[in-house]
Amino acid sequence: EAGVVQSPRYKIIEKKQPVAFWCNPISGHNTLYWYLQNLGQGPELLIRYENEEAVDDSQLPKDRFSAERLKGVDSTLKIQPAELGDSAVYLCASSSDRRSTDTQYFGPGTRLTVL
Amino acid sequence: AQSVAQPEDQVNVAEGNPLTVKCTYSVSGNPYLFWYVQYPNRGLQFLLKYITGDNLVKGSYGFEAEFNKSQTSFHLKKPSALVSDSALYFCAVRDPRYSSASKIIFGSGTRLSIRP
């Protein structure tokens, strides 16, 4: 079974430029998560999707961040414009449904560097 | 509010010795607890979880964890460490009372270093 796929793996941009990350979850997984992981820290949830619906985006900085999951499968996370402080690893995860017991499976992440 | 703490930034163990990575949590009620491992430039990999039942949970790669409700701890253990166990380990907790809106909270991570 293929795992969670993310692209690109690495991205270097200048501040004020836009950037987008793509995630393909495990087949059949209805719940999709985007996390931010700063160096030396644990992941922090940005947004959670149940199918197409964003059910928890309270931690997403909506002035510059946006996300979509149009057909309930793939998802895109966008930052526009990027700031120096956005440099981090962006992780995507999926689980089979939203129950608390379900295990989340993580992709390899996209390492963003903003210069 | 739920929270999780990993009191040690780094744990150093000789190969073949037992290892313990500590985790304590704060949740009002019975928690769901998880351990994940992260290798360099990789995403997090699931090791094991505690939901209910037996306090000793066995997981991948020979790891196990013991849920201790009185001490609000969920320490990760392995009887005999391997050099390949060297990685970053994250403990996580979820409050099951709010299943529709609950989210998993991760600790800050513990770097495990196994010397040959």
Side-chain angles (χ1 to χ4, degrees), chain A residues 33-44:
Chain A
Y33 311 77
W34 282 103
Y35 287 91
L36 167 71
Q37 185 179 22
N38 287 307
L39 186 65
Q41 298 182 23
E44 299 174 27

Side-chain angles (χ1 to χ4, degrees), chain B residues 86-104:
Chain B
S86 298
L88 190 56
Y89 290 79
F90 291 97
C91 182
V93 64
R94 180 177 286 197
D95 188 337
R97 295 179 301 162
Y98 309 107
S99 59
S100 64
S102 68
K103 60 185 179 183
I104 192 169

Side-chain angles (χ1 to χ4, degrees), chain A residues 89-100:
Chain A
V89 175
Y90 292 83
L91 295 168
C92 179
S94 68
S95 63
S96 58
D97 65 45
R98 62 173 174 79
R99 291 179 305 169
S100 297

Side-chain angles (χ1 to χ4, degrees), chain A residues 64-77:
Chain A
R64 298 184 298 108
F65 286 65
S66 64
E68 60 183 14
R69 194 185 185 199
L70 293 176
K71 296 183 179 180
V73 181
D74 294 0
S75 178
T76 303
L77 178 69

